[in-house]
Amino acid sequence: MLLPMSLAQPKRGMVVCRRLYDRVGCRCVLGYAIGALLYDSLGHWLITLYGLTDKVETFRASYANGAR
């Protein structure tokens, strides 16, 4: 979607690209912060809320065994 918008209005292409980059970057930083700093409180609550406790434990077990 970004390419056709940039080709239609080349002057606005960088603005659209910059906004997309800011949004993706912000979500990545927020996700990392929840995982690294707030896992014991907010992260655990989110995992329980979405019912992903079993999948997280399976991932932890496979990661501990070296299977990636």
Side-chain angles (χ1 to χ4, degrees):
M1 188 68 179
L2 182 60
L3 184 62
M5 290 172 61
S6 297
L7 291 174
Q9 295 181 351
K11 292 180 182 178
R12 295 210 17 103
M14 284 304 293
V15 173
V16 172
C17 183
R18 199 172 310 129
R19 287 183 184 167
L20 178 67
Y21 179 75
D22 290 343
R23 288 181 182 158
V24 170
C26 181
R27 288 185 183 144
C28 291
V29 169
L30 181 63
Y32 179 80
I34 290 172
L37 305 173
L38 302 173
Y39 176 76
D40 291 332
S41 57
L42 184 61
H44 185 67
W45 177 76
L46 284 171
I47 290 169
T48 305
L49 178 70
Y50 287 110
L52 299 172
T53 307
D54 295 336
K55 290 184 179 185
V56 170
E57 293 305 321
T58 303
F59 174 76
R60 283 185 179 189
S62 67
Y63 189 78
N65 291 333
R68 295 182 189 164

